[in-house]
Amino acid sequence: MDGEGAICFSACFPALQLNITDCLSISRTTPQALGILHFASPTPVILLKEGTDSSQGIPQLVSNISACQVIAEAVRTTLGPRGMDKLIVDGRGKATISNDGATILKLLDVVHPAAKTLVDIAKSQDAEVGDGTTSVTLLAAEFLKQVKPYVEEGLHPQIIIRAFRTATQLAVNKIKEIAVTVKKADKVEQRKLLEKCAMTALSSKLISQQKAFFAKMVVDAVMMLDDLLQLKMIGIKKVQGGALEDSQLVAGVAFKKTFSYAGFEMQPKKYHNPKIALLNVELELKAEKDNAEIRVHTVEDYQAIVDAEWNILYDKLEKIYHSGAKVVLSKLPIGDVATQYFADRDMFCAGRVPEEDLKRTMMACGGSIQTSVNALSADVLGRCQVFEETQIGGER
């Protein structure tokens, strides 16, 4: 090394304070020593948490394909007219019997990330179309199975995907070619086709024996919806006791009789063209905080506090009565005093109505859900043609 080298070296590493003779003596004695000074080994940067499997390449692709095939095998036997039901028991011991692909895959606690994507395919198919979840899973797994030998031979995944895209285009063209157009103008023809579609979808379900009966009901229900076709507007209520053929379609909103107090039986059970008040208000005496402390000096003061509680409640009830509403539905509880008050005035009330039923009533009958009774004007009250309470099976 020359003198310039020594200057550069000491300029680069002033902390080392090495002169030229030191360097030369180091290089003569241990040739590796300079290497240690120059190239300290880089410390490894850890990005992933401990225990992470970062395998890649062809073996990992094959492993992913195998995992997807295991998932497909789990639902394969549920498909078709001779499909069998699966009994699944979760970690808490809850048993579910189903032959619906999405339900089974939802209940299986899948850990493998590639297999999870297959479960997600089934979920999105269920959300988007509502049927064909098992078929989608099996098709995806079958495609992967056919591709496996090519992957093992080292064919690049991009080429395989390009081939799939071409195949998709060919399949779509073929479907368009053999598609049958629905004549919307001919209502009878359209209805027949819809009923056939409904029957096809019901043939793998538990009610396949009565599919003709239910297909008609399903088509009627969908035909009643407006152009937006909001499926959440169709509510299904399960009632125990009675045959499957006792099922009926209600052209309106139905909800189960909620928990009720004494006085409920005295209320009328049928109204024509009533106004409906939809509330999110509690109509009962509030239980005050247990540790609240009020100091009173006379009996009159105590009486004033008790009266104030009652007055608040009666004030609310009077406002509802004067609004002209005949049916009062609330998401929150309606107490025994309120129930009796409404019964005396020929009004019907139901508390603890499920939120989805309350929203469905609002969308079907108009009005809006009120959180206070101070502004019950005509435009926030709903209206319907007939309101009645009937007994169906073991439910009211």
Side-chain angles (χ1 to χ4, degrees):
M1 294 171 79
D2 55 3
E4 280 179 30
I7 293 160
C8 292
F9 196 76
S10 56
C12 294
F13 301 100
L16 295 175
Q17 293 294 315
L18 293 170
N19 61 25
I20 185 71
T21 49
D22 292 336
C23 285
L24 289 170
S25 62
I26 288 171
S27 62
R28 270 196 294 272
T29 50
T30 52
Q32 295 84 6
L34 263 178
I36 291 166
L37 285 172
H38 278 281
F39 310 107
S41 63
T43 51
V45 180
I46 298 167
L47 286 175
L48 307 169
K49 78 173 183 206
E50 206 178 328
T52 306
D53 175 20
S54 59
S55 53
Q56 53 193 16
I58 291 173
Q60 187 55 42
L61 279 172
V62 173
S63 154
N64 288 351
I65 292 172
S66 304
C68 290
Q69 281 173 305
V70 172
I71 286 284
E73 287 305 319
V75 291
R76 189 184 294 279
T77 51
T78 65
L79 195 66
R82 298 196 174 189
M84 295 180 284
D85 291 0
K86 291 262 181 274
L87 169 63
I88 300 151
V89 183
D90 65 7
R92 288 175 292 182
K94 182 176 175 262
T96 309
I97 298 174
S98 175
N99 73 349
D100 175 47
T103 310
I104 294 166
L105 292 174
K106 233 178 264 177
L107 293 169
L108 292 177
D109 203 3
V110 182
V111 183
H112 197 287
K116 257 191 183 148
T117 55
L118 217 55
V119 175
D120 292 339
I121 289 173
K123 279 183 185 170
S124 57
Q125 173 77 2
D126 194 32
E128 206 60 39
V129 184
D131 196 48
T133 47
T134 314
S135 316
V136 162
T137 310
L138 293 182
L139 271 172
E142 193 57 38
F143 286 151
L144 291 171
K145 186 182 172 184
Q146 298 300 328
V147 163
K148 198 174 177 182
Y150 297 108
V151 173
E152 286 167 343
E153 284 168 18
L155 192 66
H156 198 281
Q158 286 290 354
I159 298 169
I160 295 170
I161 290 165
R162 207 176 304 149
F164 270 135
R165 290 206 176 111
T166 312
T168 309
Q169 206 49 55
L170 289 169
V172 170
N173 292 343
K174 185 67 184 169
I175 286 171
K176 283 179 179 168
E177 196 183 303
I178 60 172
V180 179
T181 45
V182 181
K183 300 177 186 72
K184 283 194 174 177
D186 187 357
K187 291 290 178 194
V188 181
E189 190 65 32
Q190 185 191 9
R191 192 184 167 87
K192 270 186 191 169
L193 196 72
L194 285 172
E195 280 184 20
K196 280 180 189 169
C197 292
M199 275 194 213
T200 309
L202 291 170
S203 56
S204 65
K205 304 283 180 264
L206 292 172
I207 51 173
S208 54
Q209 303 297 316
Q210 286 87 8
K211 62 183 178 184
F213 172 78
F214 281 104
K216 193 169 172 298
M217 190 183 288
V218 167
V219 175
D220 284 338
V222 175
M223 293 292 231
M224 281 178 191
L225 296 175
D226 55 10
D227 296 337
L228 289 172
L229 281 177
Q230 284 179 294
L231 287 180
K232 64 171 184 277
M233 285 293 284
I234 300 175
I236 299 170
K237 296 284 172 245
K238 298 167 191 169
V239 181
Q240 289 180 341
L244 277 173
E245 277 90 358
D246 292 346
S247 304
Q248 63 184 70
L249 176 67
V250 177
V253 184
F255 57 90
K256 287 185 187 179
K257 172 180 168 290
T258 54
F259 177 81
S260 54
Y261 291 95
F264 183 84
E265 296 306 327
M266 296 159 62
Q267 294 177 354
K269 300 292 181 254
K270 189 165 185 176
Y271 294 96
H272 287 283
N273 301 318
K275 288 181 182 174
I276 306 167
L278 305 168
L279 306 174
N280 189 3
V281 180
E282 199 170 349
L283 295 175
E284 61 181 347
L285 288 173
K286 285 270 176 78
E288 292 308 326
K289 295 275 185 294
D290 298 335
N291 55 0
E293 187 179 309
I294 301 170
R295 298 193 179 189
V296 290
H297 299 288
T298 61
V299 177
E300 287 78 11
D301 289 354
Y302 177 72
Q303 191 59 45
I305 292 165
V306 175
D307 288 348
E309 280 189 306
W310 286 99
N311 290 341
I312 289 167
L313 178 62
Y314 277 121
D315 183 43
K316 282 183 190 172
L317 297 177
E318 262 175 44
K319 281 177 179 166
I320 295 169
Y321 172 59
H322 290 308
S323 73
K326 278 289 178 192
V327 177
V328 182
L329 306 177
S330 179
K331 186 180 151 192
L332 296 173
I334 293 178
D336 46 358
V337 177
T339 307
Q340 193 66 55
Y341 180 93
F342 290 136
D344 294 342
R345 287 158 182 75
D346 282 346
M347 292 165 70
F348 178 96
C349 72
R352 294 196 181 97
V353 177
E355 189 175 8
E356 57 182 46
D357 289 337
L358 210 58
K359 281 186 176 167
R360 210 176 282 125
T361 309
M362 178 179 81
M363 290 165 88
C365 304
S368 59
I369 298 169
Q370 298 294 302
T371 50
S372 152
V373 294
N374 294 326
L376 288 179
S377 56
D379 55 337
V380 300
L381 296 177
R383 282 176 180 72
C384 72
Q385 210 166 357
V386 180
F387 178 96
E388 69 174 322
E389 183 198 317
T390 52
Q391 179 91 18
I392 297 176
E395 303 279 354
R396 300 276 285 282

